[in-house]
Amino acid sequence: MGPLSVVALGGGHGLAASLSALRRVTTRLTAIVTVADNGGSSGRLRAELGVLPPGDLRQALAALCRDDEWGRTWARVLQHRFAGNGELHDHAVGNLLIVALWELLGDHVGGLDLVGRLLGSQGRVLPMAAVPLDITAQVQGLDPQHPSSVRVVRGQVEVAIVVADRRAVGDPGDLANTARGIGAELVLADVASGEDPQRHDTVRLAAAYQSVMGGG
């Protein structure tokens, strides 16, 4: 029996964490990554250049880097963000590298494969679609004058929410800044189980979701 073949679908930090673990299990690993981000560095590049948002793809590639000096160095380079107040502020080096290769090669998959070769990635990263996608949600109660009306909200930034238990968060400012960095809003609620703080209480979590979605 040959090596196990694994395909992982998703995006963001969740997919990156899974890929970091899976590359220790198999060398035949493919990530199919969402291309719906419209916030931060990815959103700016998407709006200005009309390209696929590269951020989730970049995170997946970084997660597939080896644990040797070469892999760790390139993972840090890929994830590095520029500081300052100019046009490069908060752009990730990896995002710019990926988009540059797309422009030079005219090929999304070829550009990602080339970055993977440079990094020595233990797996392959592919976009979920050949064009940027938009996340939409139908939300009730956004208009206080018409609480029963339903409005369509478009965009990952506008839809994304991070729910965290308030007792598990030391400084909510740090977590809120991290959430904004991935195009999300932080919501603190009592969602942990009373018996085991490391687990969610499904009833409390449902109540938090209902509140976020405008149902109470």
Side-chain angles (χ1 to χ4, degrees), residues 3 12 17 22 26 29 33 39 60 68 75 77 82 84 87-88 96-98 139 143 150 156 158 163 195 206 208 213:
L22 287 168
T26 180
L29 176 58
V33 183
D68 56 18
V77 170
F82 294 102
E87 293 295 324
L88 284 176
L96 301 178
L97 174 62
I98 290 169
V139 183
D143 185 352
V150 177
Q156 181 171 303
E158 291 75 12
V163 177
E195 297 178 356
M213 295 173 185

Side-chain angles (χ1 to χ4, degrees), residues 193-214:
S193 168
E195 297 178 356
D196 183 359
Q198 301 301 314
R199 300 185 63 182
H200 287 127
D201 182 300
T202 55
V203 175
R204 291 177 174 177
L205 186 59
Y209 283 152
Q210 185 178 27
S211 177
V212 166
M213 295 173 185

Side-chain angles (χ1 to χ4, degrees), residues 5-167:
S5 296
V6 177
V7 177
L9 293 85
H13 296 281
L15 177 63
S18 296
L19 294 175
S20 294
L22 287 168
R23 67 179 171 80
R24 292 170 167 81
V25 177
T26 180
T27 57
R28 300 178 64 180
L29 176 58
T30 302
I32 310 296
V33 183
T34 180
V35 286
D37 193 1
N38 68 325
S41 171
S42 289
R44 290 158 60 192
L45 291 168
R46 170 179 174 166
E48 182 176 344
L49 302 174
V51 297
L52 296 179
D56 289 331
L57 297 158
R58 181 200 80 245
Q59 289 199 64
L61 285 163
L64 292 174
C65 287
R66 301 189 303 264
D67 288 322
D68 56 18
E69 181 181 4
W70 181 272
R72 289 191 297 270
T73 299
W74 274 107
R76 290 196 300 270
V77 170
L78 221 61
Q79 299 286 54
H80 177 75
R81 291 183 182 272
F82 294 102
N85 300 312
E87 293 295 324
L88 284 176
H89 171 69
D90 206 38
H91 270 307
V93 172
N95 287 355
L96 301 178
L97 174 62
I98 290 169
V99 172
L101 284 169
W102 286 344
E103 289 194 344
L104 288 171
L105 300 178
D107 180 359
H108 292 125
V109 174
L112 293 168
D113 283 345
L114 199 57
V115 176
R117 285 168 53 193
L118 172 66
L119 305 179
S121 295
Q122 296 177 283
R124 197 178 188 201
V125 172
L126 302 174
M128 193 172 288
V131 295
L133 303 179
D134 282 316
I135 294 176
T136 61
Q138 293 181 322
V139 183
Q140 185 178 35
L142 288 179
D143 185 352
Q145 302 298 320
H146 303 88
S148 62
S149 65
V150 177
R151 183 182 302 173
V152 175
V153 179
R154 181 180 298 274
Q156 181 171 303
V157 170
E158 291 75 12
V159 174
I161 295 289
V162 173
V163 177
D165 187 87
R166 65 180 81 251
R167 293 169 294 177

